[in-house]
Amino acid sequence: MKTPKYFSKWFEGWPDLVCLDLDGTLVDSVPDIAAAVDAFLSEFQAPLAGEEQVRAWVGLGAAKLIEQALDWAGLSQDKHEDAYRLFLIHYHQHLTDHSKLYPNVVAILKAFKHNGVPVALITNKPSVFIKPILDKFGITEEFAWFLGGDTLDEKKPSALPLLHCSESIEAQPERCLMIGDSITDFKAAQNAGFKSALVTYGYHQGVDLKGLGADAIIDDLAELLV
């Protein structure tokens, strides 16, 4: 496979490392996340948020998600610990009931593997959930690293998770790529000195991605392989 145009332009060849976000980039997980949010809201006899509302909150980690849901429902943050526990229990039991891979996820992972590009999964989701989700979709073996929001001392938008991976293989940041769907992913890439590609179909937290200055804005992961 010849080097795609983006990679030819950025790296004069394939990148030395690719870091991928999970929710909103590889997997549409909001249906199951929203069900878990509504499960704890129901326990508190609060209005249910629903999938559309939860889509606007996803991307900053589970703890922040619970905080936003409590604020939206007019509930005290004193309930955060109990709400978080209930959320995690329900989500763990229904992790991939309705979640789906986005188009061409498998194709891009296989392309990276075929061309010897190591791939890291870097998400702000609690790490306990990562492998079961990847196992469900049969893509676990495509990743050399799984980093959740609780794996290291810092999470995205910190550069630490990205640099943890690049430094472990002595890859120069300018030869590495972060692929995500949000300002959180963009800032992590920017802080680490990585190139960044953002997908338009994910969870944007109300941010206009085109104004951020990412190296590429794409509608489909397959665009990186052209």
Side-chain angles (χ1 to χ4, degrees), residues 64-80:
K64 181 64 175 180
L65 172 65
I66 303 308
E67 178 185 320
Q68 291 171 301
L70 289 172
D71 282 345
W72 174 87
L75 297 170
S76 170
Q77 291 298 327
D78 291 343
K79 296 182 180 293
H80 192 283

PDB file of all heavy atoms in Angstrom, residues 64-80:
ATOM      1  N   LYS A  64     -16.618  13.757  35.246  1.00  0.00           N
ATOM      2  CA  LYS A  64     -17.177  15.019  34.755  1.00  0.00           C
ATOM      3  C   LYS A  64     -18.583  14.796  34.187  1.00  0.00           C
ATOM      4  O   LYS A  64     -19.473  15.650  34.369  1.00  0.00           O
ATOM      5  CB  LYS A  64     -16.267  15.610  33.679  1.00  0.00           C
ATOM      6  CG  LYS A  64     -16.733  16.944  33.117  1.00  0.00           C
ATOM      7  CD  LYS A  64     -16.740  18.033  34.170  1.00  0.00           C
ATOM      8  CE  LYS A  64     -17.090  19.390  33.559  1.00  0.00           C
ATOM      9  NZ  LYS A  64     -17.098  20.466  34.578  1.00  0.00           N
ATOM     10  N   LEU A  65     -18.786  13.679  33.533  1.00  0.00           N
ATOM     11  CA  LEU A  65     -20.109  13.344  33.000  1.00  0.00           C
ATOM     12  C   LEU A  65     -21.148  13.299  34.117  1.00  0.00           C
ATOM     13  O   LEU A  65     -22.252  13.852  33.982  1.00  0.00           O
ATOM     14  CB  LEU A  65     -20.045  11.998  32.288  1.00  0.00           C
ATOM     15  CG  LEU A  65     -21.357  11.377  31.823  1.00  0.00           C
ATOM     16  CD1 LEU A  65     -22.003  12.225  30.742  1.00  0.00           C
ATOM     17  CD2 LEU A  65     -21.129   9.960  31.319  1.00  0.00           C
ATOM     18  N   ILE A  66     -20.815  12.660  35.229  1.00  0.00           N
ATOM     19  CA  ILE A  66     -21.729  12.575  36.356  1.00  0.00           C
ATOM     20  C   ILE A  66     -22.001  13.964  36.924  1.00  0.00           C
ATOM     21  O   ILE A  66     -23.136  14.316  37.253  1.00  0.00           O
ATOM     22  CB  ILE A  66     -21.161  11.648  37.457  1.00  0.00           C
ATOM     23  CG1 ILE A  66     -20.875  10.255  36.904  1.00  0.00           C
ATOM     24  CG2 ILE A  66     -22.122  11.579  38.639  1.00  0.00           C
ATOM     25  CD1 ILE A  66     -22.023   9.615  36.178  1.00  0.00           C
ATOM     26  N   GLU A  67     -20.963  14.772  37.035  1.00  0.00           N
ATOM     27  CA  GLU A  67     -21.120  16.147  37.514  1.00  0.00           C
ATOM     28  C   GLU A  67     -22.093  16.927  36.646  1.00  0.00           C
ATOM     29  O   GLU A  67     -22.981  17.628  37.154  1.00  0.00           O
ATOM     30  CB  GLU A  67     -19.753  16.835  37.529  1.00  0.00           C
ATOM     31  CG  GLU A  67     -19.778  18.285  37.964  1.00  0.00           C
ATOM     32  CD  GLU A  67     -18.416  18.944  37.831  1.00  0.00           C
ATOM     33  OE1 GLU A  67     -17.416  18.279  38.139  1.00  0.00           O
ATOM     34  OE2 GLU A  67     -18.366  20.118  37.390  1.00  0.00           O
ATOM     35  N   GLN A  68     -21.937  16.814  35.326  1.00  0.00           N
ATOM     36  CA  GLN A  68     -22.820  17.528  34.407  1.00  0.00           C
ATOM     37  C   GLN A  68     -24.261  17.039  34.515  1.00  0.00           C
ATOM     38  O   GLN A  68     -25.204  17.831  34.489  1.00  0.00           O
ATOM     39  CB  GLN A  68     -22.308  17.354  32.971  1.00  0.00           C
ATOM     40  CG  GLN A  68     -20.993  18.065  32.700  1.00  0.00           C
ATOM     41  CD  GLN A  68     -20.411  17.694  31.352  1.00  0.00           C
ATOM     42  OE1 GLN A  68     -20.141  16.532  31.082  1.00  0.00           O
ATOM     43  NE2 GLN A  68     -20.204  18.680  30.502  1.00  0.00           N
ATOM     44  N   ALA A  69     -24.433  15.730  34.653  1.00  0.00           N
ATOM     45  CA  ALA A  69     -25.779  15.167  34.758  1.00  0.00           C
ATOM     46  C   ALA A  69     -26.465  15.619  36.046  1.00  0.00           C
ATOM     47  O   ALA A  69     -27.667  15.936  36.044  1.00  0.00           O
ATOM     48  CB  ALA A  69     -25.716  13.646  34.693  1.00  0.00           C
ATOM     49  N   LEU A  70     -25.722  15.654  37.139  1.00  0.00           N
ATOM     50  CA  LEU A  70     -26.299  16.112  38.403  1.00  0.00           C
ATOM     51  C   LEU A  70     -26.709  17.575  38.320  1.00  0.00           C
ATOM     52  O   LEU A  70     -27.792  17.961  38.790  1.00  0.00           O
ATOM     53  CB  LEU A  70     -25.291  15.903  39.540  1.00  0.00           C
ATOM     54  CG  LEU A  70     -25.026  14.451  39.955  1.00  0.00           C
ATOM     55  CD1 LEU A  70     -23.867  14.393  40.950  1.00  0.00           C
ATOM     56  CD2 LEU A  70     -26.273  13.804  40.553  1.00  0.00           C
ATOM     57  N   ASP A  71     -25.853  18.405  37.731  1.00  0.00           N
ATOM     58  CA  ASP A  71     -26.197  19.819  37.551  1.00  0.00           C
ATOM     59  C   ASP A  71     -27.447  19.973  36.697  1.00  0.00           C
ATOM     60  O   ASP A  71     -28.348  20.761  37.023  1.00  0.00           O
ATOM     61  CB  ASP A  71     -25.025  20.566  36.904  1.00  0.00           C
ATOM     62  CG  ASP A  71     -23.914  20.894  37.881  1.00  0.00           C
ATOM     63  OD1 ASP A  71     -24.141  20.802  39.099  1.00  0.00           O
ATOM     64  OD2 ASP A  71     -22.800  21.234  37.421  1.00  0.00           O
ATOM     65  N   TRP A  72     -27.490  19.234  35.601  1.00  0.00           N
ATOM     66  CA  TRP A  72     -28.638  19.311  34.682  1.00  0.00           C
ATOM     67  C   TRP A  72     -29.935  18.926  35.386  1.00  0.00           C
ATOM     68  O   TRP A  72     -30.982  19.544  35.170  1.00  0.00           O
ATOM     69  CB  TRP A  72     -28.385  18.398  33.495  1.00  0.00           C
ATOM     70  CG  TRP A  72     -29.538  18.279  32.543  1.00  0.00           C
ATOM     71  CD1 TRP A  72     -29.822  19.106  31.485  1.00  0.00           C
ATOM     72  CD2 TRP A  72     -30.558  17.279  32.558  1.00  0.00           C
ATOM     73  NE1 TRP A  72     -30.959  18.698  30.845  1.00  0.00           N
ATOM     74  CE2 TRP A  72     -31.434  17.569  31.482  1.00  0.00           C
ATOM     75  CE3 TRP A  72     -30.823  16.181  33.375  1.00  0.00           C
ATOM     76  CZ2 TRP A  72     -32.555  16.789  31.212  1.00  0.00           C
ATOM     77  CZ3 TRP A  72     -31.940  15.408  33.115  1.00  0.00           C
ATOM     78  CH2 TRP A  72     -32.786  15.710  32.040  1.00  0.00           C
ATOM     79  N   ALA A  73     -29.866  17.926  36.253  1.00  0.00           N
ATOM     80  CA  ALA A  73     -31.057  17.427  36.947  1.00  0.00           C
ATOM     81  C   ALA A  73     -31.390  18.242  38.199  1.00  0.00           C
ATOM     82  O   ALA A  73     -32.401  17.975  38.862  1.00  0.00           O
ATOM     83  CB  ALA A  73     -30.867  15.970  37.320  1.00  0.00           C
ATOM     84  N   GLY A  74     -30.541  19.227  38.517  1.00  0.00           N
ATOM     85  CA  GLY A  74     -30.780  20.040  39.698  1.00  0.00           C
ATOM     86  C   GLY A  74     -30.500  19.307  41.002  1.00  0.00           C
ATOM     87  O   GLY A  74     -31.062  19.635  42.050  1.00  0.00           O
ATOM     88  N   LEU A  75     -29.592  18.323  40.949  1.00  0.00           N
ATOM     89  CA  LEU A  75     -29.243  17.538  42.127  1.00  0.00           C
ATOM     90  C   LEU A  75     -27.925  18.028  42.726  1.00  0.00           C
ATOM     91  O   LEU A  75     -27.063  18.539  42.019  1.00  0.00           O
ATOM     92  CB  LEU A  75     -29.114  16.063  41.755  1.00  0.00           C
ATOM     93  CG  LEU A  75     -30.381  15.376  41.238  1.00  0.00           C
ATOM     94  CD1 LEU A  75     -30.049  13.998  40.690  1.00  0.00           C
ATOM     95  CD2 LEU A  75     -31.429  15.281  42.338  1.00  0.00           C
ATOM     96  N   SER A  76     -27.764  17.842  44.021  1.00  0.00           N
ATOM     97  CA  SER A  76     -26.557  18.273  44.712  1.00  0.00           C
ATOM     98  C   SER A  76     -25.357  17.428  44.306  1.00  0.00           C
ATOM     99  O   SER A  76     -25.472  16.211  44.115  1.00  0.00           O
ATOM    100  CB  SER A  76     -26.763  18.178  46.219  1.00  0.00           C
ATOM    101  OG  SER A  76     -25.544  18.375  46.906  1.00  0.00           O
ATOM    102  N   GLN A  77     -24.197  18.091  44.203  1.00  0.00           N
ATOM    103  CA  GLN A  77     -22.965  17.356  43.931  1.00  0.00           C
ATOM    104  C   GLN A  77     -22.570  16.457  45.112  1.00  0.00           C
ATOM    105  O   GLN A  77     -21.675  15.618  44.978  1.00  0.00           O
ATOM    106  CB  GLN A  77     -21.833  18.328  43.602  1.00  0.00           C
ATOM    107  CG  GLN A  77     -21.991  19.047  42.271  1.00  0.00           C
ATOM    108  CD  GLN A  77     -21.992  18.101  41.078  1.00  0.00           C
ATOM    109  OE1 GLN A  77     -21.317  17.075  41.090  1.00  0.00           O
ATOM    110  NE2 GLN A  77     -22.741  18.452  40.034  1.00  0.00           N
ATOM    111  N   ASP A  78     -23.249  16.615  46.242  1.00  0.00           N
ATOM    112  CA  ASP A  78     -23.028  15.696  47.360  1.00  0.00           C
ATOM    113  C   ASP A  78     -23.395  14.269  46.981  1.00  0.00           C
ATOM    114  O   ASP A  78     -22.943  13.305  47.621  1.00  0.00           O
ATOM    115  CB  ASP A  78     -23.861  16.120  48.577  1.00  0.00           C
ATOM    116  CG  ASP A  78     -23.357  17.425  49.205  1.00  0.00           C
ATOM    117  OD1 ASP A  78     -22.210  17.810  48.905  1.00  0.00           O
ATOM    118  OD2 ASP A  78     -24.109  18.033  49.978  1.00  0.00           O
ATOM    119  N   LYS A  79     -24.225  14.130  45.959  1.00  0.00           N
ATOM    120  CA  LYS A  79     -24.647  12.811  45.498  1.00  0.00           C
ATOM    121  C   LYS A  79     -23.664  12.197  44.497  1.00  0.00           C
ATOM    122  O   LYS A  79     -23.895  11.102  43.987  1.00  0.00           O
ATOM    123  CB  LYS A  79     -26.035  12.904  44.860  1.00  0.00           C
ATOM    124  CG  LYS A  79     -27.157  13.317  45.811  1.00  0.00           C
ATOM    125  CD  LYS A  79     -28.499  13.331  45.095  1.00  0.00           C
ATOM    126  CE  LYS A  79     -29.622  13.745  46.025  1.00  0.00           C
ATOM    127  NZ  LYS A  79     -29.848  12.735  47.082  1.00  0.00           N
ATOM    128  N   HIS A  80     -22.584  12.904  44.199  1.00  0.00           N
ATOM    129  CA  HIS A  80     -21.690  12.489  43.132  1.00  0.00           C
ATOM    130  C   HIS A  80     -21.128  11.086  43.349  1.00  0.00           C
ATOM    131  O   HIS A  80     -21.109  10.256  42.429  1.00  0.00           O
ATOM    132  CB  HIS A  80     -20.538  13.486  42.973  1.00  0.00           C
ATOM    133  CG  HIS A  80     -19.730  13.296  41.728  1.00  0.00           C
ATOM    134  ND1 HIS A  80     -18.789  12.294  41.588  1.00  0.00           N
ATOM    135  CD2 HIS A  80     -19.729  13.970  40.544  1.00  0.00           C
ATOM    136  CE1 HIS A  80     -18.235  12.370  40.390  1.00  0.00           C
ATOM    137  NE2 HIS A  80     -18.782  13.372  39.734  1.00  0.00           N
TER     138      HIS A  80
END
